[in-house]
Amino acid sequence: MERYRRIEGLQMNEEHLWCLKENGYEAGLHKHYEGLFTQGNGYMHARGSFEEGCSDAPQDEEYLRFPDNVTLEKPRHPKSKQGTFIPGIVARHPLLKEEIVNLPYMLGLELRSAGESLDMDRSRISGYRRWLDLRDGSLHRTLIWETAEGMQLQCTFERYISMADTHLCIQRIQVEVLAGEGRLEAAASLRGDVRTNGMNHFDSVVPTAEVGGSLSLKTLTEQGNRIFMHSALEASEAVIWQEENSQVTAALRGEFAVQTGDRLTVSKLTAVTTDRDMEEGEAGSRALAQLSRAREIGWDQLYERHAACWKSKWQGADILIKGDDLAQLNVRASLYHLLRANAPEDARVAICAKGYAGEAYFGRYFWDTEINLLPFYLHTNPQAARNLLLFRYNTLDGARRNAQNYGYRGARYAWESSLSGDEQCANWQYADHEIHITADIVYALYHYVRATGDEDFLEHYGIDILVETARYWCDRVDWNREGVGELLGVMGPDEYLPFTRNNAFTNRMVKFSLEQTIACLDSLQGSKPDSYAAAAERLNILPEERELFRHTAEKLRLPYDSRTDIVPQSDDFASYADLDFDSIWTDRSRPFGHFISQERNYRSKALKQADVLELMLLFPHEFSREQLKAAYDYYEPITTHDSSLSVAVHGIVASWLNQPKAAANFLQRVMDIDLSLEKKGAAEGIHIANCGGLWQLIVYGLAGLKSAMWSKDIKLEPRLPKGWTKLSFQLAWQGERYRITIHPDAHAVHKLEGRGYVAGTTL
Amino acid sequence: MERYRRIEGLQMNEEHLWCLKENGYEAGLHKHYEGLFTQGNGYMHARGSFEEGCSDAPQDEEYLRFPDNVTLEKPRHPKSKQGTFIPGIVARHPLLKEEIVNLPYMLGLELRSAGESLDMDRSRISGYRRWLDLRDGSLHRTLIWETAEGMQLQCTFERYISMADTHLCIQRIQVEVLAGEGRLEAAASLRGDVRTNGMNHFDSVVPTAEVGGSLSLKTLTEQGNRIFMHSALEASEAVIWQEENSQVTAALRGEFAVQTGDRLTVSKLTAVTTDRDMEEGEAGSRALAQLSRAREIGWDQLYERHAACWKSKWQGADILIKGDDLAQLNVRASLYHLLRANAPEDARVAICAKGYAGEAYFGRYFWDTEINLLPFYLHTNPQAARNLLLFRYNTLDGARRNAQNYGYRGARYAWESSLSGDEQCANWQYADHEIHITADIVYALYHYVRATGDEDFLEHYGIDILVETARYWCDRVDWNREGVGELLGVMGPDEYLPFTRNNAFTNRMVKFSLEQTIACLDSLQGSKPDSYAAAAERLNILPEERELFRHTAEKLRLPYDSRTDIVPQSDDFASYADLDFDSIWTDRSRPFGHFISQERNYRSKALKQADVLELMLLFPHEFSREQLKAAYDYYEPITTHDSSLSVAVHGIVASWLNQPKAAANFLQRVMDIDLSLEKKGAAEGIHIANCGGLWQLIVYGLAGLKSAMWSKDIKLEPRLPKGWTKLSFQLAWQGERYRITIHPDAHAVHKLEGRGYVAGTTL
């Protein structure tokens, strides 16, 4: 781990293109770095907190978080919130419904000397540096600590969560005594005093510590899940570990006598398992087995295996940018989180809105998955994309329950999905009215099929989603007196207008969804009558029902046509109030929503995010360049981008419209969302949809790739930003892999040999 | 109290026209009767619970009540919820905001024999009867208890809350031993184990009991209010009281040896005071002084004073109906609660939505006060009406804060007002969008002035309300591109359409409000320039501001005109979905809202309550009879009457339209709201607005009185229901009192001599 392994094609002097650095500690930025430096491997994730914690930042504060607008609410824990998340381990919040549980803190490692603890805020510290190496997801901290007794200690903390052995977390402290002598203490812990959004979700936490150097914490959640954490400690010097458990914390400390020139290493290897894991066998014994196997493998080999996995992931996903080192690093930061947050083998979970890097969005699943994230996985790791769709298939029963709860037939996907697909959104205006999610999933289904050619997926999984959601739509449509189908009371992607009539985006997506349902049934009946018959029986499809799907698809209103000058966001959009933005939004560095009451916002023409532009992004061939430009010119000035889903879309459209300055500006804003030190945007977690948006902005916008949804072939229309001399990335496409290479005046598509894949199997 | 005192003009054989009776105990009806039998005197109120409580109905259950649709949510405490309320004593609920505190239970009185307690569910009971005498608000219960040991005891419970000595509650048990002998125990208590909507709002409760026969309970609420309850016990036989306090309950018990033929009487006299009372002096000593003064006065005199107050109240307020005894009784039940719930001398409080007879609506103030309740008080006790408007004047600062919180100038009255006028509604769709309340208050202000002639009220109080609310309206109006003022994003009275455009009711009320503001300023400037100058300085009225008021009043859109066939509820009303009511609303005995999701409801043409009809009721001269009929014919079939504010309005309109059957049907439905044993509508408290609605239905509808808002003279157009041979009531009008007498074929208005009043003073 000390030496970074070479990744194919990379040089050792490329740290500045791969390492996110924090130079000097600043308390006000700590929470931001906790989010940004989140490590993980799909199975588990841990925020980038200090091993020893933070002074004045208790993690077990109890309070009642209320349902509120997450974009606008003031988060708790201004200084630090540790986070340890295993997708799938959830509990009930009395007001907010299902939330992912913040698990016991497994990273505890402290240094003490003569009663003084190393503390980033209170100790005398110099030479502080911290960095996350994106190549292998390892986190490093180095500093010089001058103790009260006058010792000068060079301290280095390193840790990673293994991408190969997904239950393992590996940590090490190294201390070099630069001057002085005295007694040094190292303490390791597994801490159960953790609350999730102020709630205690642990029914019991049982700590044990053995003086041989092992710690364990057994946690039973109120939902009945069992979490096992076992740690093994090792030190470079002989030591007698002493237990210092508290009620819910397992802890050991060891004391060392040191003098100038001494080097001391303390390592902590932690295995984490749960009773929800896919592996067979009792979780507690699996954790112990993992640990002993890891110790057999040894530290170097553990790292080798881990680094090899990261290397493989980067090979398929990396985007190479020449001529703009900062963009290169920032893009990789996004890719890193996209690679980290996904568990490509576990279709019982998807990717939560904060990328498992914070509590803010409760670990739930939104439309982000299908519209913002999916394209990245489609074209870098189709197996992962398939898994995301399988998650929706697996939660179809939840969607059926949602439909029923609202009084409809069929399946209605949740605006905020739990593990089971049941609606969790505590704010009814979104849960009730932001219905496009159900069509977004069908769009994504076809996006997957068309990008991969995996037609079988429709036959085995997709058809159930299609038929059940079509039933919901037919119930949801109202018929006006002219016999036109309408969708009333709808919140489109723009969440600042909750009750619109015939939202253009939503209606188009629903029409698409119904049309594909009909096409799928027709085609299956023609090509595979047996398979159709089985589906018809399983889903109880009636002939008149297919007629209803067809009729609804045909008669559903689209509030625009090819002659429309400006495509209206909804039928009633013109009737909302115009705003004088300059007099209201007096500080554009803060969200617009802070400057206006929700009441006024809900009746005014102020878009939270792209809505018509999102429609044009998903159906680009249906709009003329003039319509695109008119929409951009009309909507962009009244769009607040208060949602992180908005800027990337605008960047793509600006790029399509050949407005390089605007595109570059949006590109910068996309990167700033999680990375800007002024915004501290990662404090509550990673805006993972925006990471997917950045990939789309580069691939669809700057490289000008025509979406696989609408093109069988790879078609590019690149427009590189000023200064970029090269842009290159791999692309999985129709079962093959390609390398795209773009220079300012030329581009090339090379098919990669020997790296083909078959959809439905892992690369 | 044993013998009802004669009320002038009443005969002793009129009990059936004055007594609400419960014949036989039924556990499932108990909560309903608790609400219906609520006693009180404006200062304090107590639900009609059994003195000994109810088995299996703990009053100290703790839970978190969520913000929900009060009409539709399932209330807790299915069997019994005791309630002791003093308007003004409130606390904070973490989710629901300010709520009136359910105080310690002061009514505790139990009978026991040989370890057995008298228990309505478990004891062997016969001859149970209970009745509330509306004449004096006294509650009576009589029954025969056959104890396990074989005694037969005729037990009678009586109690009242004094209307004359408002801090006193008087109770008595009488036991006659019909057969057997043994030991009988009487226990009296003041119980602090009470929760409000599941919350404990008591910081401390200190019980004391003295064996001389006195109990006390000192309660400190978390808001810092101190409540003192002191009781003195008396028994007809010598007794040594024994203390049986628990942690938060003061209790004494006394044992009596009894035998056949014995009669035992135990009395409990309780004084209740708080540090918020208007009287001077320390609350604790006041309570003790009240108590000793009451004992000096003696039981008979206490009752005389009390009954005289009720008599006086009834003289101004009673409605006499001949030919329909049930209607007579039911109307009096409503009048009783209107008289009870109001505190005509305390303008720091108004009348809460449940008439201080339950926790459901948190003791808050709605538009009901101005639109539904005010007319009754205007014409029976103008001083009380004035007080209700003073409450709005006193809370103008709260309304200013509300406006500011929403980003507006001026004053915006709360949809659900706290004591201070600050918005308490936890459901934003109402709080944000149901803005007509602010104009309703101005309408009520003018209604008061025009009904009483008290023009000075405008000069001293009204003008501040007018100017400040006009400022809010000018900020709230949006201007469309044609220069027309609009009110967007509005929920009108119909709460099933939360986001409409230019709600006809709201826009008309706002226009009225602005017009009156201008008129008031113009008139004051002309007639009392000094007073105008003072107001202009106090309120910082600028000349251009008056111009803005005028311009806004002129240009505000009314979505109808005299040629409109059907007055639209709002500009966008036609675009909502039509519903097939019969297929959805399969059980019309339950609210429509139970059969449809809020999501669907919010986009459909299903009115919760009168909206356009309410407009026509308030501005009757602006609509032709044809328009009224068209509106009634169009809206009535799509009105669900899920709100209790709806039926009375429809009854009035049906009466105006000369549809006697429909009017009679609505009259019955109005009376059923709190009185029907099938609906059990009083369980959570009294629908006090509907009580006011019943008064309006009789006076405006059946008697056909033209509103004082639009007529200087008393004008009647009676249409008596079938079978009614006489309808008679008093009417306070322009500083005088009149008696209205209506027979099927004739009616008369008599001015009453010597009963004139001057507005602003108590009758």
Side-chain angles (χ1 to χ4, degrees), chain B residues 621-670:
Chain B
H621 53 295
E622 297 188 4
F623 302 91
S624 68
R625 190 184 167 81
E626 288 65 39
Q627 282 179 312
L628 184 67
K629 181 162 189 322
Y632 179 82
D633 289 346
Y634 177 69
Y635 290 110
E636 200 283 322
I638 57 173
T639 300
T640 64
H641 306 296
D642 278 4
S643 160
S644 66
L645 309 186
S646 189
V647 226
V649 174
H650 282 77
I652 295 170
V653 174
S655 185
W656 287 359
L657 290 172
N658 246 326
Q659 303 199 2
K661 266 196 190 164
N665 182 266
F666 282 118
L667 175 67
Q668 187 59 49
R669 290 176 71 175
V670 167

Side-chain angles (χ1 to χ4, degrees), chain A residues 64 66 94-95 405-408 412 427-429 432-433 472 475-479 481 486-489 498-499 501 572 575-578 597-600 602-605 634, chain B residues 64 66-67 94-95 405-408 412 427-429 432-433 472 475-479 481 486 488-489 498-499 501 572 575-578 597-600 602-605 634:
Chain A
L64 197 59
F66 295 149
L95 299 180
N405 288 341
Y406 280 95
Y408 301 115
R412 181 192 199 274
N427 294 97
W428 60 264
Q429 68 267 46
D432 286 5
H433 300 281
Y472 161 65
D475 258 18
R476 180 62 175 76
V477 163
D478 288 306
W479 296 94
R481 290 169 187 191
E486 300 194 303
L487 287 167
L488 307 177
F499 280 79
R501 214 162 71 235
D572 53 352
S575 71
Y576 290 92
D578 293 308
S597 67
Q598 174 183 290
E599 175 260 300
R600 189 169 178 200
Y602 275 4
R603 66 167 199 268
S604 304
K605 287 176 194 145
Y634 177 70
Chain B
L64 198 58
F66 296 150
L95 300 179
N405 289 341
Y406 280 95
Y408 301 114
R412 181 191 198 276
N427 295 95
W428 60 264
Q429 66 267 45
D432 287 5
H433 299 281
Y472 161 66
D475 258 19
R476 180 61 176 75
V477 163
D478 288 307
W479 296 94
R481 289 168 189 192
E486 300 194 302
L488 307 177
F499 280 80
R501 215 162 71 234
D572 54 352
S575 71
Y576 290 91
D578 293 308
S597 68
Q598 176 183 289
E599 176 260 300
R600 189 168 179 202
Y602 275 4
R603 67 167 199 269
S604 304
K605 288 177 194 144
Y634 177 69

